């Protein structure tokens, strides 16, 4: 009886270790795939840029070129494609997207709003080369690559 109990306990421990190692292998494989995907996305050439025109001490550097993808989010949160470190910027402030060969910007119900060439936008607006986007105290000039 004692031997059967010890054998069962040993098998439970072994099963637990196997499940734990399988979990760790899957978790690291998932992390590796995510990092590889991010590296591939980062290596792709940008379709357009936002060039910093005006900033502050803790914001992006003036003249820094921030690359845009087909759909790019702008805001204070580190998960955005373009991070704007400004207290007046919302976590997810605006979206810039390329649709049918035309660039668009849309405010994401941010607290302080998004300005396009000095005018607050309330809906999706077309954005062209040279247009200036203001998010809080940061001004960004739009530059298309094509």
């Amino acid at each position: 009886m004692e031997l059967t109990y010890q054998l069962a306990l040993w098998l439970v421990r072994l099963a637990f270790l196997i499940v734990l190692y399988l979990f760790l292998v899957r978790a690291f494989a998932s992390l590796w795939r995510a990092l590889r995907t991010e590296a591939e996305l980062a290596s792709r050439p940008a379709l357009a840029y936002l060039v910093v025109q005006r900033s502050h001490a803790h914001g992006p550097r003036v003249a820094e070129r921030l690359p845009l993808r087909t759909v790019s989010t702008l805001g204070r949160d580190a998960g955005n494609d373009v991070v704007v470190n400004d207290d007046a910027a919302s976590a997810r402030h605006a979206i810039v997207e390329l649709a049918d060969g035309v660039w668009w910007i849309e405010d994401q119900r941010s607290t302080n709003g998004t300005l396009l060439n000095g005018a607050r936008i309330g809906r999706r607006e077309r954005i062209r080369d040279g247009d200036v986007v203001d998010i809080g105290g940061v001004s960004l000039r739009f530059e298309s690559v094509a």
Side-chain angles (χ1 to χ4, degrees):
M1 179 78 170
E2 182 69 27
L3 184 62
T4 307
Y5 175 72
Q6 287 180 350
L7 181 62
L9 186 60
W10 185 81
L11 289 174
V12 167
R13 288 178 181 164
L14 185 63
F16 175 75
L17 284 175
I18 290 171
V19 168
L20 179 64
Y21 282 124
L22 286 175
F23 171 76
L24 289 174
V25 166
R26 287 185 59 104
F28 281 115
S30 176
L31 180 63
W32 180 256
R33 277 192 308 273
L35 288 173
R36 199 174 67 227
T37 301
E38 276 299 315
E40 288 170 5
L41 287 175
S43 67
R44 290 182 186 169
L47 300 172
Y49 293 93
L50 289 175
V51 181
V52 180
Q53 299 296 298
R54 185 184 75 231
S55 188
H56 52 79
H58 302 291
R61 293 183 311 263
V62 172
E64 183 177 359
R65 292 168 51 101
L66 307 170
L68 296 174
R69 298 185 219 172
T70 307
V71 177
S72 297
T73 57
L74 290 76
R76 192 178 61 236
D77 186 63
N80 288 300
D81 299 307
V82 177
V83 178
V84 180
N85 289 328
D86 188 276
D87 291 337
S90 295
R92 188 171 164 122
H93 200 93
I95 292 180
V96 176
E97 67 179 321
L98 177 64
D100 298 325
V102 178
W103 285 96
W104 299 89
I105 186 166
E106 184 176 4
D107 186 74
Q108 294 295 288
R109 299 182 186 159
S110 62
T111 305
N112 296 313
T114 303
L115 302 178
L116 179 59
N117 298 322
R120 188 174 181 143
I121 59 173
R123 57 181 169 77
R124 187 174 164 184
E125 295 280 343
R126 185 172 182 182
I127 187 170
R128 296 174 178 85
D129 271 344
D131 283 352
V132 177
V133 176
D134 292 310
I135 296 177
V138 178
S139 290
L140 308 162
R141 186 183 74 245
F142 178 78
E143 281 185 2
S144 179
V145 173

